[in-house]
Amino acid sequence: MAALFGRRMRRGAASTAVAAAAMAALSASGAPSAVGEQPAASAAERPSAGASGQEDPSVTGDSPYHTDLPPLKGPGRNDPPDETPATGSAESGIPATVLDAYRKAEASLAASNPRCRVPWELLAAIGKVESGHARGGRLDTNGTTPSPILGPVLNGVGFANISDTDGGAYDGDTLHDRAVGPMQFIPQTWESWGRDGNGDGRRDPNNIYDAALAAGSYLCAHDRDLTVERDLHQAILGYNRSQEYLRTVLHWYDYYRKGAHEVPDGSQPAPGAPTGSGGTTPSPAPVRPGTPSPSPTKPGKPSKPGDGSSSKPTPPPTTPPPTTPPPTTPPPTTPAPATRLVDLGDGALSAPAGERFAERPAVRAERADKKPAAQAKVRFTLTGETGTTFEGGATTVTVTTKADGVAKAPALLAGGKPGALTVKATLLGTTEPVTLGLRGEVTAPRADKLVRTDETELTCEAGATFEGRIALTATRDGQAAPGVAATATVLAGADPADGEKAAEKGPYFLTSGDEPAEERRTRELTLTTDAKGNLLLPELHTDDTTGSFRLRVETTGGTVVVLELKVTDPA
């Protein structure tokens, strides 16, 4: 990766010129809207990478990336003759396993988060600039890279400064973080967004299926719709906060949308692909089938005087003196496996319907000696009928513990149905099942604003009925708040000092039923907003008591509206 960054710096001017020419050509040809003319989101507008919504580093820690642009052809260009085979150009080829992972991630997210509409071509564009499609498809049969793809050490020297967050579990570095895998996730971001894309019960950033689904889930965060240009740009900038990065990804996105084809895994060279050593991994030269292996060189004949060669006999090779072998390092000992789980929650797994839980489910894996167990696998599973999911839409996620043994599930998003739920934490890889049930609750939806929307006159004669019905609308974050519970109470007096208890006399509502009207009078009523957040109170009647009263309407969440009621003597 370091070598790649150096190449990028040396060719910076050329890359900028190519980018400008590419932008101009795409605009002139009526290219798809992915490369838009609107300015990209500013730094202040970009979303954070963490699942918690706080200001976290980008997915990659703003590590370097491939800056090559897709080929362009057009009038006035000095292009070589087109010898592109029918299957497509070399640049548009994507290794078979990598392409399968991109497409499966698109299908999975279409089912779990249909609003997002993430296209596989966008995942391919990011995979191209991050790792050259996993170094040209160098993967095992499970889709995992034979050796980790690691970015540079994020120690603040030329890149972001991110101290170690995973105890070296993912990147092998216990001092600083490094981006990992085909989609280049930094460890702390992988902890929040890692996914099990191939169904093997593990979340491995070095596996292309897991990494592609995680990248798609991240791009879909914050309820984005990637067919909207602003959302698309914000998602890409959250991956790497660079305008040049945005332009490069968008160009590859457009390129793949115009046509891409499958090529065999490992058939593409991956120049400059990032590796654990910070440079490129040399590959042996390919051998064509049927080419005989080179034979060992035969010893030459002794030279003769006068044939142009030296007549001096070649001295026999000298044997170096024996050296003392270096001391053998004992193999590292394997730590004892985890045998138990401890709940680290404070019992606060609760959120109103449709909102994010403030607390994330968390457990600690411990060994038999009660010490933390690192690298343990913990699967979190949601049960219940509330519709709650983890951020990204999944109901099951697997998390690897850090050096402190802690495993935190992604943030919970409450469903639309109030009720109880359980987050089941299961320790994987044990002979005996180890499971914790973490209790949670989805409470009634709340509103943060309540306004009156009718113009009913709130003055009435004693013994009569107020004209019209009082209507209000509840909203949350500027949107209609359906299903919000509200209490309407008639209070005595016009001054809060008169008390907050329901009045014993004055205006009243009538409940439904067959009993006489006198028995159905009430001055406290519970209602629920409709699908549009509207609240329509029943008719308000009066007895023979005159004076000023208050009607107090309060919703879940503490939003209150107080209206003054006046009851006058009969005319």
Side-chain angles (χ1 to χ4, degrees), residues 268-347:
Q268 288 183 315
T275 68
S277 62
T280 57
T281 303
S283 301
V287 179
R288 295 182 179 180
T291 303
S293 301
S295 303
T297 305
K298 294 181 180 180
K301 294 181 180 180
S303 58
K304 297 179 181 179
D307 65 356
S309 61
S310 170
S311 60
K312 282 188 177 182
T314 304
T318 58
T319 303
T323 58
T324 303
T328 303
T329 304
T333 58
T334 303
T339 60
R340 63 194 296 260
L341 291 176
V342 178
D343 183 8
L344 299 182
D346 58 4

Side-chain angles (χ1 to χ4, degrees), residues 27-77:
S27 299
S29 62
S33 61
V35 184
E37 298 178 1
Q38 298 297 323
S42 65
E45 294 172 327
R46 298 173 199 151
S48 63
S52 64
Q54 297 175 352
E55 191 61 33
D56 292 335
S58 63
V59 168
T60 65
D62 296 335
S63 295
Y65 51 88
H66 294 278
T67 58
D68 295 335
L69 292 172
L72 290 175
K73 293 189 176 184
R77 291 182 56 87

Side-chain angles (χ1 to χ4, degrees), residues 71-155:
L72 290 175
K73 293 189 176 184
R77 291 182 56 87
N78 205 3
D79 295 318
D82 191 351
E83 298 178 359
T84 303
T87 54
S89 70
E91 288 294 340
S92 63
I94 301 176
T97 300
V98 182
L99 181 59
D100 184 55
Y102 296 150
R103 286 175 168 162
K104 285 184 176 176
E106 177 192 55
S108 176
L109 289 164
S112 64
N113 190 355
R115 169 183 165 78
C116 178
R117 294 182 280 191
V118 58
W120 70 261
E121 293 92 342
L122 177 59
L123 298 175
I126 291 175
K128 173 70 174 179
V129 302
E130 290 298 342
S131 68
H133 299 312
R135 298 176 181 148
R138 298 178 189 177
L139 304 163
D140 63 18
T141 55
N142 295 320
T144 304
T145 58
S147 59
I149 300 177
L150 297 176
V153 178
L154 299 176
N155 57 6

Side-chain angles (χ1 to χ4, degrees), residues 13-292:
S15 296
T16 303
V18 172
M23 289 287 284
L26 283 167
S27 299
S29 62
S33 61
V35 184
E37 298 178 1
Q38 298 297 323
S42 65
E45 294 172 327
R46 298 173 199 151
S48 63
S52 64
Q54 297 175 352
E55 191 61 33
D56 292 335
S58 63
V59 168
T60 65
D62 296 335
S63 295
Y65 51 88
H66 294 278
T67 58
D68 295 335
L69 292 172
L72 290 175
K73 293 189 176 184
R77 291 182 56 87
N78 205 3
D79 295 318
D82 191 351
E83 298 178 359
T84 303
T87 54
S89 70
E91 288 294 340
S92 63
I94 301 176
T97 300
V98 182
L99 181 59
D100 184 55
Y102 296 150
R103 286 175 168 162
K104 285 184 176 176
E106 177 192 55
S108 176
L109 289 164
S112 64
N113 190 355
R115 169 183 165 78
C116 178
R117 294 182 280 191
V118 58
W120 70 261
E121 293 92 342
L122 177 59
L123 298 175
I126 291 175
K128 173 70 174 179
V129 302
E130 290 298 342
S131 68
H133 299 312
R135 298 176 181 148
R138 298 178 189 177
L139 304 163
D140 63 18
T141 55
N142 295 320
T144 304
T145 58
S147 59
I149 300 177
L150 297 176
V153 178
L154 299 176
N155 57 6
V157 181
F159 312 109
N161 187 0
I162 304 177
S163 299
D164 175 61
T165 61
D166 65 331
Y170 293 119
D171 56 13
D173 192 324
T174 57
L175 295 179
H176 294 88
D177 274 350
R178 303 174 70 175
V180 183
M183 304 303 277
Q184 289 290 278
F185 276 83
I186 56 175
Q188 63 175 297
T189 309
W190 182 260
E191 279 296 315
S192 298
W193 293 98
R195 299 289 185 265
D196 177 14
N198 60 355
D200 64 354
R202 301 176 62 242
R203 299 187 312 150
D204 185 357
N206 298 297
N207 181 276
I208 185 60
Y209 289 96
D210 295 359
L213 183 57
S217 299
Y218 172 81
L219 295 171
C220 289
H222 305 287
D223 201 28
R224 294 189 184 107
D225 177 356
L226 297 185
T227 62
V228 176
E229 185 177 86
R230 176 184 174 85
D231 285 1
L232 175 67
H233 287 195
Q234 285 185 335
I236 298 172
L237 286 168
Y239 219 95
N240 189 311
R241 298 187 178 97
S242 160
Q243 293 294 324
E244 181 186 350
Y245 181 86
L246 173 65
R247 289 191 295 269
T248 304
V249 169
L250 289 177
H251 279 297
W252 281 109
Y253 176 34
D254 277 295
Y255 187 71
Y256 287 137
R257 290 204 302 175
K258 294 173 182 175
H261 65 282
E262 177 184 304
V263 296
D265 290 345
S267 63
Q268 288 183 315
T275 68
S277 62
T280 57
T281 303
S283 301
V287 179
R288 295 182 179 180
T291 303

Side-chain angles (χ1 to χ4, degrees), residues 196-535:
D196 177 14
N198 60 355
D200 64 354
R202 301 176 62 242
R203 299 187 312 150
D204 185 357
N206 298 297
N207 181 276
I208 185 60
Y209 289 96
D210 295 359
L213 183 57
S217 299
Y218 172 81
L219 295 171
C220 289
H222 305 287
D223 201 28
R224 294 189 184 107
D225 177 356
L226 297 185
T227 62
V228 176
E229 185 177 86
R230 176 184 174 85
D231 285 1
L232 175 67
H233 287 195
Q234 285 185 335
I236 298 172
L237 286 168
Y239 219 95
N240 189 311
R241 298 187 178 97
S242 160
Q243 293 294 324
E244 181 186 350
Y245 181 86
L246 173 65
R247 289 191 295 269
T248 304
V249 169
L250 289 177
H251 279 297
W252 281 109
Y253 176 34
D254 277 295
Y255 187 71
Y256 287 137
R257 290 204 302 175
K258 294 173 182 175
H261 65 282
E262 177 184 304
V263 296
D265 290 345
S267 63
Q268 288 183 315
T275 68
S277 62
T280 57
T281 303
S283 301
V287 179
R288 295 182 179 180
T291 303
S293 301
S295 303
T297 305
K298 294 181 180 180
K301 294 181 180 180
S303 58
K304 297 179 181 179
D307 65 356
S309 61
S310 170
S311 60
K312 282 188 177 182
T314 304
T318 58
T319 303
T323 58
T324 303
T328 303
T329 304
T333 58
T334 303
T339 60
R340 63 194 296 260
L341 291 176
V342 178
D343 183 8
L344 299 182
D346 58 4
L349 285 179
S350 177
E355 299 189 37
R356 182 195 299 266
F357 282 69
E359 187 79 10
R360 289 167 57 187
V363 297
R364 182 173 61 248
E366 294 183 348
R367 307 194 302 250
D369 57 5
K370 295 187 178 181
K371 291 185 178 180
Q375 291 297 288
K377 303 292 183 183
V378 179
R379 183 171 61 216
F380 293 94
T381 305
L382 280 167
T383 61
E385 303 297 328
T386 63
T388 299
T389 66
F390 294 108
E391 193 160 30
T395 55
T396 299
V397 296
T398 301
V399 178
T400 303
T401 61
K402 299 181 182 180
D404 58 4
V406 174
K408 273 192 174 183
L412 290 170
L413 299 179
K417 185 177 180 181
L421 61 89
T422 301
V423 183
K424 186 169 67 173
T426 303
L427 182 61
L428 303 179
T430 59
T431 54
E432 295 293 331
V434 179
T435 301
L436 280 180
L438 314 179
R439 301 290 180 181
E441 181 186 16
V442 175
T443 60
R446 68 175 182 88
D448 56 24
K449 189 174 183 180
L450 182 66
V451 295
R452 184 184 173 195
T453 55
D454 73 287
E455 298 180 356
T456 300
E457 176 65 39
L458 298 183
T459 299
C460 181
E461 295 179 356
T465 300
F466 282 83
E467 183 179 351
R469 296 168 64 180
I470 298 173
L472 304 101
T473 297
T475 58
R476 181 178 65 248
D477 298 328
Q479 302 295 320
V484 175
T487 302
T489 308
V490 177
L491 306 173
D495 192 327
D498 294 329
E500 296 297 314
K501 290 185 179 181
E504 296 180 357
K505 295 181 179 181
Y508 61 89
F509 301 105
L510 282 177
T511 60
S512 58
D514 297 329
E515 297 84 0
E518 289 288 336
E519 297 178 14
R520 292 187 287 113
R521 291 185 180 186
T522 182
R523 293 178 175 85
E524 188 168 14
L525 200 64
T526 299
L527 304 165
T528 303
T529 59
D530 64 15
K532 295 183 179 180
N534 296 326
L535 199 65

